[in-house]
């Protein structure tokens, strides 16, 4: 068809996508290095300056500003434009807010809770003058607006590196930018250092710019070496941490990281408290008010709570410590986006600023020269006033006559003709001569600056120093190097309290507070009863042994309370077919225990070997067919302790525990000799006990018991694996033995 050229779909789609990508990158998401603004921000500030909303003016409705912006320069949604305007007015979002808002402009708790634009008013802040003061002085290039009816500046003539002062974030197509805010005095100091020493390295500049400076007083805890690497490469990440102190035993948070909402922190901590992951914390209160914008009070359960460990945990699990991505990706003076290091960024901005000052001086020089030219013509007129008046009265077209008679230019002749009669007094001639002399001196000064790079550089330095002096302030974010926060494990957060773990014959377990529990008189399910009661602590692990010698473990605090019947351990662990729980133990992981079966074999092992995370448990004690594990017994001092082994047929043997091997798992060695004939008749080990020096052994046989003192035990001493000696008459049917 005539007027149309067929294009392959692939080529068209590729071109359209690339056009869109470049539009998003250059005209929406990334800032320009010169003024550090995105197009929508630049247009908002320019529109407000055109409306006369300077820092000293009366504020106008935000809707008026937004209407001008979207109607004249930025044909996009009013809500997005208003949100960009609000952001520049929030002191908790911008390090140096550019807009002075009146009304509800949001809060740190909810930055987007601002009122509608028909309710709020705004004007520019004094620091914004650093962006727009030189706008009409020939410092910027202009471009048509979207419909070609007006002109708008391509960029604003920033007097300071606003890109670094307030930072910027943006996501474009295939790239993003994350520039944190910085302190004005530090940035200007670095600029002056680079002007004085063009060979200065990034490390030299970091003597002035030590780190970003957020609007909050939260600590920047990233090490100096990591911060230097960020400025050298143009990308990386840094961390900020909340500030806390102690008051009357409570923890008080007085500053949060940038863009962290107090309400969100409270929600995060409360969620952990509801999930019983913070049992050491009793309550959290928000006492923030107008005088104390951030004041969160954490109330520990007791004075014994380790505050440092608790805060370390909260730093690791909540937004009390936050990481910030850094990516110095900006649109350079060449119009191309690129990630720049600190030196390149400041060097390019100084080039922009120097060029801006030069353009301003050249513009002023042109105006001064033109004014001098006109004043020279007016002076000629005053020196020949009668003749000039005569020509004007006599000639129909006095302009060419004046030009020919006094060798004037057209502009000079026009200025003479437009002079009012009242300005023809002698006093006006004196004013002209005075202005002529003053402008002549100004022209000479400007020409001298433009002719000397050193003088131009000096002028840039002076203006930077003056602006920093006028608008600068002290650093908000202190620099404190700290180690990485570590979240506490669930057991670290559990208070160490005495508990008694109760195991029933059918494998139901529970934990009662305290050690003075009468486990036998607790309620049990019908047909069930007490198997074993074990005194331990809530933050210790309990190992359960089944009838096949497998070990299973969990923390005592994970068990239900003793108010009910507990819960079946089969719900937590997966036992082999036909297996049942027969014993349990709890101790420090390095504590030594004796594991044995009623077949008369056993060994010494560390309690930690019984622990594991597997639901199916771990094979620990090899149990002969028909035998069962015995209750594990603890060793206090293997060099002194005696292991007492008693059979149900009344045989007792005592020998040093040191004669037993230390194994991780297995069957172990023979403890006491049980002949095959006796074993077939039903003789088994009734119990084992480890007895230290000075302790006594109780041997139970039904309702009767025998007390064996240390001197009495000497009669039963022997070598491991022997038959032992027979107990006195009446104790040939031993039920169990225990230490007293």
């Amino acid at each position: 068809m005539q007027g149309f050229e067929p294009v392959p779909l692939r080529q068209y789609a590729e071109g359209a996508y690339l056009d869109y990508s470049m539009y998003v990158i250059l005209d929406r998401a990334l800032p320009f290095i010169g003024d550090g603004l995105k197009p929508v921000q630049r247009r908002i500030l320019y529109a407000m300056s055109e409306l006369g909303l300077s820092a000293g003016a009366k504020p106008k409705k935000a809707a008026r500003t937004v209407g001008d912006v979207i109607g004249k320069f930025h044909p996009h949604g009013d809500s997005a434009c208003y949100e960009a305007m609000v952001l520049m007015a929030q002191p908790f979002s911008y390090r140096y807010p550019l807009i002075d808002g009146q009304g509800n402009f949001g809060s740190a708790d909810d930055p987007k809770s601002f009122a509608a634009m028909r309710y709020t008013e705004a004007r520019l802040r004094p620091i914004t003058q650093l962006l727009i003061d030189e706008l009409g002085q020939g410092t910027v290039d202009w471009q048509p607006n979207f419909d070609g009816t007006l002109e708008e500046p391509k960029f604003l003539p920033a007097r300071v590196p606003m890109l670094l002062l307030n930072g910027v974030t943006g996501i474009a197509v295939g790239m993003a930018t994350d520039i944190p805010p910085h302190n004005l005095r530090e940035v200007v100091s670095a600029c002056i250092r680079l002007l004085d020493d063009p060979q200065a390295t990034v490390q030299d500049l970091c003597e002035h710019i030590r780190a970003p400076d957020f609007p909050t007083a939260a600590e920047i805890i990233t090490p100096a070496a990591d911060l230097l690497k960020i400025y050298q490469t143009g990308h990386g990440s840094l961390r900020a941490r909340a500030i806390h102190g102690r008051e009357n035993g409570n923890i008080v948070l007085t500053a949060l990281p940038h863009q962290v909402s107090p309400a969100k922190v409270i929600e995060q901590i409360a969620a952990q408290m509801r999930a019983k992951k913070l049992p050491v914390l009793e309550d959290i209160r928000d006492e923030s008010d107008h005088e104390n914008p951030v004041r969160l009070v954490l109330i520990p359960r007791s004075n014994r709570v380790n505050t440092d460990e608790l805060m370390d945990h909260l730093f690791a699990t909540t937004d009390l410590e936050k990481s910030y991505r850094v990516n110095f990706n900006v649109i350079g003076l060449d119009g191309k986006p690129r990630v720049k290091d600190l030196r390149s960024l400041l060097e390019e901005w100084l080039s922009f600023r120097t060029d801006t000052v030069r353009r301003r001086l050249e513009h002023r020089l042109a105006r001064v020269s033109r004014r001098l030219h006109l004043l020279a013509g007016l002076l000629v007129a005053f020196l020949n006033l009668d003749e000039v008046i005569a020509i004007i009265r006599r000639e129909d077209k006095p302009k060419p006559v004046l030009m020919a008679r006094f060798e004037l230019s057209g502009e000079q002749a026009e200025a003479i003709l437009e002079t009012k009669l009242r300005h023809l007094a002698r006093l006006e001639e004196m004013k002209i001569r005075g202005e002529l002399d003053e402008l002549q001196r100004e022209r000479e000064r400007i020409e001298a600056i433009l002719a000397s790079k050193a003088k131009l550089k000096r002028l840039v330095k002076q203006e930077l120093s003056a602006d920093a002096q006028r608008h600068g302030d002290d650093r908000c974010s202190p620099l404190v190097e700290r180690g990485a926060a570590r979240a506490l494990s669930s057991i670290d957060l559990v208070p160490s309290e005495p508990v008694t773990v109760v195991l029933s014959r059918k494998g139901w377990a529970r934990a009662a507070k305290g050690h003075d529990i009468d486990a036998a008189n607790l309620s049990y399910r019908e047909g069930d009863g007490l198997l074993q009661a074990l005194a331990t602590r809530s933050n210790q692990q309990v190992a359960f042994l089944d009838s096949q010698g497998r070990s299973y473990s969990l923390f005592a605090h994970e068990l239900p309370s003793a108010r009910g019947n507990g819960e079946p351990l089969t719900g937590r662990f997966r036992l082999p077919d036909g297996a049942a729980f027969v014993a349990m133990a709890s101790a420090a992981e390095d504590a030594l225990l004796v594991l044995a079966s009623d077949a008369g074999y056993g060994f010494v092992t560390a309690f930690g070997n019984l622990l594991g995370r597997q639901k199916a448990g771990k094979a620990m004690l090899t149990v002969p067919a028909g035998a069962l594990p015995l209750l594990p017994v603890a060793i206090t001092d293997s060099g002194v302790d005696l292991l007492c082994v008693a059979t149900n047929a009344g045989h007792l043997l005592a020998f040093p525990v040191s004669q037993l091997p230390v194994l991780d798992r297995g069957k172990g060695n023979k403890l006491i000799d049980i002949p095959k004939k006796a074993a077939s008749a039903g003789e088994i080990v009734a119990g084992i006990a480890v007895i230290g020096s000075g302790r006594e052994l109780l041997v139970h046989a039904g309702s009767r018991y025998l007390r064996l003192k240390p001197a009495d035990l000497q009669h039963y001493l022997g070598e491991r694996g022997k038959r032992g000696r027979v107990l006195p008459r009446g104790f040939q049917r031993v039920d169990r033995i225990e230490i007293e």
Side-chain angles (χ1 to χ4, degrees), residues 502 510 517-524 529-530 562:
V502 179
R510 48 189 151 165
I517 303 298
D518 185 3
N521 289 325
L522 293 175
S523 62
Y524 294 90
L530 174 65

Side-chain angles (χ1 to χ4, degrees), residues 16 87 155 158 163 177 208 270 598 698 736:
L87 190 68
F155 51 85
L163 175 70
T177 183
H208 305 270
D598 61 11
L698 294 182
R736 70 185 190 279

Side-chain angles (χ1 to χ4, degrees), residues 372 434 436-446:
L372 284 171
L436 199 64
D437 293 340
E438 184 179 345
L439 291 178
Q440 186 65 40
R441 288 193 297 270
E442 183 179 357
R443 182 168 67 177
E444 292 173 358
R445 182 180 62 84
I446 293 175

Side-chain angles (χ1 to χ4, degrees), residues 124-342:
L124 298 176
R125 283 183 176 265
I127 195 172
T128 316
Q129 299 302 123
L130 299 180
L131 285 167
I132 62 176
D133 263 353
E134 300 174 355
L135 197 56
Q137 300 178 27
T139 53
V140 300
D141 297 327
W142 297 78
Q143 63 186 5
N145 67 339
F146 64 91
D147 61 1
T149 58
L150 297 170
E151 284 195 332
E152 61 175 321
K154 288 185 177 181
F155 51 85
L156 298 182
R159 294 172 59 93
V160 291
M162 200 62 71
L163 175 70
L164 285 176
L165 300 189
N166 280 322
V168 65
T169 60
I171 299 176
V173 178
M175 62 178 62
T177 183
D178 292 279
I179 302 176
H182 290 76
N183 184 271
L184 173 57
R185 291 176 180 170
E186 293 180 4
V187 172
V188 167
S189 178
C191 290
I192 293 175
R193 171 70 179 271
L194 193 56
L195 285 171
D196 290 337
D197 181 12
Q199 303 304 318
T201 64
V202 173
Q203 188 169 358
D204 296 333
L205 297 176
C206 283
E207 295 176 5
H208 305 270
I209 302 177
R210 296 174 295 164
D213 187 23
F214 294 104
T216 71
E219 299 173 342
I220 295 178
I221 63 172
T222 304
D226 294 344
L227 292 170
L228 175 61
K229 188 175 180 181
I230 290 173
Y231 288 122
Q232 287 175 333
T233 61
H235 59 82
S237 65
L238 57 91
R239 303 188 71 83
R241 180 179 289 184
I243 291 181
H244 68 281
R246 294 297 297 267
E247 288 185 16
N248 301 322
N250 297 331
I251 304 169
V252 180
L253 299 167
T254 55
L256 299 180
H258 181 46
Q259 294 178 332
V260 170
S261 162
K264 185 178 180 181
V265 170
I266 292 175
E267 181 183 344
Q268 290 173 332
I269 297 176
Q272 293 191 42
M273 294 173 66
R274 287 193 299 269
K276 298 183 178 179
K277 294 182 178 179
L278 273 179
V280 297
L281 201 59
E282 182 177 341
D283 194 14
I284 179 172
R285 295 198 305 262
D286 186 359
E287 297 182 356
S288 305
D289 53 27
H290 182 70
E291 294 183 0
N292 303 288
V294 176
R295 182 178 169 84
L296 305 182
V297 181
L298 308 180
I299 305 174
R301 286 196 177 275
S302 70
N303 293 330
R304 297 189 302 272
V305 173
N306 189 319
T307 304
D308 293 335
E309 288 187 357
L310 172 60
M311 290 307 302
D312 216 33
H313 172 77
L314 293 177
F315 289 142
T317 58
T318 70
D319 283 347
L320 289 178
E321 181 176 316
K322 188 175 180 182
S323 177
Y324 298 90
R325 184 170 176 266
V326 179
N327 185 19
F328 288 119
N329 189 10
V330 299
I331 300 172
L333 298 181
D334 58 0
K336 297 177 182 179
R338 187 175 292 110
V339 177
K340 303 178 185 295
D341 60 40
L342 179 62

Side-chain angles (χ1 to χ4, degrees), residues 376-683:
L378 290 176
L379 191 58
V380 169
F382 277 105
L383 293 176
N384 302 276
L385 185 58
D386 294 338
E387 188 176 354
V388 168
I389 293 174
I391 292 174
I392 293 173
R393 293 181 62 186
R394 182 176 65 248
E395 301 292 338
D396 294 334
K397 295 181 179 181
K399 182 176 178 180
V401 178
L402 289 173
M403 293 172 60
R405 171 67 183 85
F406 300 107
E407 298 182 354
L408 301 175
S409 67
E411 286 185 338
Q412 289 175 318
E414 192 67 35
I416 293 171
L417 292 173
E418 290 180 356
T419 302
K420 296 181 180 179
L421 288 175
R422 64 181 179 181
H423 291 159
L424 298 180
R426 183 69 184 171
L427 186 60
E428 288 298 323
E429 180 185 348
M430 295 174 61
K431 287 182 179 179
I432 290 175
R433 290 186 180 276
E435 185 181 355
L436 199 64
D437 293 340
E438 184 179 345
L439 291 178
Q440 186 65 40
R441 288 193 297 270
E442 183 179 357
R443 182 168 67 177
E444 292 173 358
R445 182 180 62 84
I446 293 175
E447 288 175 342
I449 294 174
L450 290 174
S452 170
K453 290 184 178 180
K455 291 183 178 179
L456 183 61
K457 183 187 294 187
R458 190 182 307 118
L459 177 61
V460 172
K461 285 170 53 178
Q462 290 172 352
E463 292 180 350
L464 282 171
S465 298
D467 291 335
Q469 183 70 24
R470 187 180 305 111
H471 300 285
D473 56 5
D474 295 330
R475 165 174 281 275
C476 288
S477 304
L479 302 179
V480 184
E481 288 192 19
R482 300 188 186 278
R486 183 185 67 87
L488 297 176
S489 64
S490 58
I491 194 60
D492 291 333
L493 292 167
V494 173
S496 179
E497 298 175 342
V499 295
T500 300
V501 178
V502 179
L503 179 63
S504 75
R505 294 193 301 269
K506 291 188 177 181
W508 285 64
R510 48 189 151 165
K513 291 184 178 181
H515 287 166
D516 54 345
I517 303 298
D518 185 3
N521 289 325
L522 293 175
S523 62
Y524 294 90
R525 295 166 59 87
E526 187 176 353
D528 200 359
L530 174 65
L531 175 64
Q532 182 186 354
L534 179 67
T536 183
R537 303 196 74 81
S538 56
N539 61 345
Q540 286 189 325
Q541 293 198 68
V542 181
F544 299 90
L545 284 175
D546 70 11
S547 55
Q548 296 184 12
R550 297 186 72 82
S551 174
Y552 312 80
S553 63
L554 53 73
F555 284 97
H557 73 89
E558 297 178 11
L559 292 169
S561 70
R563 294 174 182 172
N565 294 322
E567 67 175 51
L569 292 176
T570 52
R572 291 178 178 260
F573 308 120
R574 190 167 61 250
L575 274 68
D577 293 339
F581 290 103
V582 296
M584 59 180 176
S586 181
E589 290 194 19
D590 58 352
L592 296 178
L593 305 176
V594 177
L595 289 186
S597 66
D598 61 11
Y601 292 87
F603 59 91
V604 175
T605 190
F607 176 70
N609 292 328
L610 278 70
L611 307 178
R613 298 181 179 180
Q614 301 87 350
K615 279 193 170 185
K618 59 189 296 189
M620 196 68 207
L621 177 66
T622 303
V623 181
L628 290 173
L630 297 170
L631 297 180
V633 293
I635 299 173
T636 56
D637 185 351
S638 59
V640 178
D641 292 342
L642 294 176
L643 178 63
C644 301
V645 186
T647 70
N648 59 354
H651 286 264
L652 177 65
L653 174 66
F655 60 87
V657 174
S658 57
Q659 294 184 8
L660 271 182
V662 179
L663 303 175
D664 289 342
R665 65 186 67 190
K667 179 180 178 180
N669 290 4
K670 183 183 289 188
L671 305 178
I672 191 170
D673 181 35
I674 301 177
K676 290 184 179 180
K677 185 176 180 180
S680 61
E683 184 177 354

